[in-house]
Amino acid sequence: MARFFMIAAALLTAGLIGAGKAPAWAEDRQEHAEWGYGAGDGPSRWADISPEFATCASGEEQSPIDIAGEHPISSSVLKIDYARGQASIVNLGHTVQVKVAPGNMLTFGDAKYELLQFHFHTPSENTFHGMHFPLEAHFVHRDEDGNLAVVALMVRPGEAGALDLLPVPAKAGDEEALGKDFSPASMLPPELAYLTFAGSLTTPPCSEGVRWIVLKETVTASIETLSRLSEVLGRNNRPVNPLNGREVRESH
């Protein structure tokens, strides 16, 4: 855990992440009232845009959060079993999202979820002692009862990685195929040590009851790719929310 914070601190010193304050539903996030990240339609205004978004202001277990300090141990085993299959990447306006084929599974403790999609935020939404990573990927999963689990992955500048192989559709509505042999597992680090807490969607309607699993190991991408994503996405991160008594746990 200390190494994780050291990486964030190094990126801050290098000017590659920010300090202080800085999706969502799995399918089409543009089906509700219009919202965004600007002064008039951003996070502080979401609850005013539509009654459907009231939880964005009234919720007690909202995401993202700032992660700091020591944490009790979680006994839940995390297992990810992603398969190769058809996939595409689409610009939704609020984010760039990778749509995947059915059959990519995640097990967390006794719960089993299926991967629906993954998408990106620049800079990271969750922070670490108040510090952001340049990019955060959210892998959104759903169980058979409709409960959601999000695996959050932090990306830092370094050697080119799997993220560098993804095209980045430039305009809202643009979509590109990734072929029939795409593996979401290629995006993940080899180790799955994690931090976990109860939270919400980080975009309207900010629904709660979401299990958050933040991977402690980061992955790298080239500065060129991180800059390209930042250029296309803009600043699409929600500020952190208070814990309100919630407990963050971490794996062994």
Side-chain angles (χ1 to χ4, degrees), residues 23-27 29 82 97-98 100 104 106 113-119 121 137-142 147-152 201 210 212:
W25 181 235
E27 318 290 342
R29 295 192 284 166
Y82 291 165
Q97 175 177 295
V98 176
V100 297
N104 297 287
L106 174 147
Y113 304 85
E114 184 174 23
L115 178 66
L116 300 172
Q117 49 94 344
F118 64 93
H119 60 267
H121 294 272
H138 290 168
F139 295 75
V140 183
H141 305 75
R142 182 174 58 199
N147 300 306
L148 296 180
V150 177
V151 172
L201 301 179
V210 178
W212 277 83

Side-chain angles (χ1 to χ4, degrees), residues 1-251:
M1 191 62 193
R3 179 176 177 272
F4 192 88
F5 290 132
M6 287 173 63
I7 291 173
L11 294 176
L12 175 65
T13 302
L16 295 169
I17 58 177
K21 293 184 179 179
W25 181 235
E27 318 290 342
D28 184 356
R29 295 192 284 166
Q30 298 178 331
E31 63 188 19
H32 298 286
E34 287 300 317
W35 55 270
Y37 293 93
D41 61 0
S44 65
R45 298 294 306 277
W46 286 346
D48 301 325
I49 293 173
S50 169
E52 293 180 337
F53 304 163
T55 304
C56 298
S58 64
E60 291 294 314
E61 294 188 343
Q62 289 290 290
S63 297
I65 64 169
D66 181 55
I67 299 172
E70 300 297 321
H71 310 287
I73 296 298
S74 168
S75 61
S76 297
V77 175
L78 172 62
K79 181 180 179 182
I80 293 178
D81 186 17
Y82 291 165
R84 294 184 178 276
Q86 186 75 42
S88 64
I89 186 167
V90 58
N91 186 322
L92 296 180
H94 298 305
T95 189
V96 169
Q97 175 177 295
V98 176
K99 301 189 291 186
V100 297
N104 297 287
M105 307 306 296
L106 174 147
T107 303
F108 187 68
D110 296 328
K112 192 169 187 176
Y113 304 85
E114 184 174 23
L115 178 66
L116 300 172
Q117 49 94 344
F118 64 93
H119 60 267
F120 304 98
H121 294 272
T122 58
S124 70
E125 296 203 294
N126 293 289
T127 60
F128 305 87
H129 286 290
M131 296 180 290
H132 295 273
F133 278 81
L135 182 74
E136 180 173 345
H138 290 168
F139 295 75
V140 183
H141 305 75
R142 182 174 58 199
D143 70 11
E144 60 183 11
D145 295 320
N147 300 306
L148 296 180
V150 177
V151 172
L153 171 66
M154 304 301 149
V155 185
R156 58 187 174 88
E159 294 183 0
L163 183 61
D164 292 272
L165 301 178
L166 294 181
V168 182
K171 296 182 292 185
D174 287 356
E175 184 169 1
E176 296 188 41
L178 299 178
K180 299 180 179 180
D181 198 35
F182 177 78
S183 173
S186 66
M187 309 300 298
L188 299 176
E191 299 295 330
L192 297 179
Y194 66 83
L195 300 125
T196 185
F197 58 92
S200 72
L201 301 179
T202 65
T203 59
C206 306
S207 306
E208 297 186 339
V210 178
R211 170 53 51 187
W212 277 83
I213 303 166
V214 179
L215 298 182
K216 292 198 285 185
E217 186 170 345
T218 63
V219 298
T220 60
S222 68
I223 290 179
E224 291 76 15
T225 291
L226 292 173
S227 297
R228 172 64 173 157
L229 280 163
S230 181
E231 177 186 353
V232 170
L233 298 179
R235 192 178 181 94
N236 70 334
N237 67 317
R238 186 188 190 190
V240 296
N241 293 269
L243 278 173
N244 292 326
R246 283 176 286 171
E247 187 174 64
V248 178
R249 290 183 170 267
E250 66 177 309
S251 60

